[in-house]
Amino acid sequence: MDTQKSPELISGKMTLALTVYSATFMRYALAVTPRNYLLFACHFINEGSQLVQGYRYLDWHHWGGKEKAGQSGVLAMAQENAKAAEEKVKAVVASASK
């Protein structure tokens, strides 16, 4: 799930573009005749998702989320886990090549 991944991976420009896109087509879905409630529902869900991702992006890059994570040791723990996973992969590759 994207909300579980690091906010560093979020593109602010793409999130903004998708937010505007979904809002535009939510309006369009209700403006056409007959009204397209399925299109509206899809874009409503996407709009909510993009707003959540936008909040995570702003929190991480502009509101001190990166610093808070660094203070609590989350980044150091993630780096340690990545290094341990890398060592496991190397061990598996070495044993498979024998």
Side-chain angles (χ1 to χ4, degrees):
M1 199 172 197
D2 283 346
T3 58
Q4 304 302 314
K5 294 181 182 176
S6 171
E8 278 187 331
L9 303 174
I10 299 171
S11 167
K13 290 180 182 180
M14 183 57 97
T15 299
L16 178 63
L18 289 173
T19 301
V20 171
Y21 171 83
S22 289
T24 301
F25 277 91
M26 279 175 29
R27 172 68 181 107
Y28 171 76
L30 297 178
V32 297
T33 304
R35 290 189 172 151
N36 191 337
Y37 293 111
L38 181 58
L39 181 65
F40 178 83
C42 292
H43 285 290
F44 180 81
I45 298 297
N46 190 36
E47 180 76 14
S49 300
Q50 294 306 321
L51 289 173
V52 168
Q53 293 294 71
Y55 173 80
R56 292 180 67 227
Y57 174 83
L58 291 172
D59 183 48
W60 184 260
H61 291 284
H62 300 289
W63 297 334
K66 193 183 303 185
E67 290 78 19
K68 291 175 193 171
Q71 290 173 355
S72 66
V74 172
L75 293 177
M77 186 175 15
Q79 289 173 343
E80 290 172 12
N81 289 342
K83 189 172 184 172
E86 181 183 358
E87 291 172 7
K88 286 181 184 179
V89 169
K90 286 180 181 178
V92 169
V93 169
S95 66
S97 64
K98 289 183 181 179

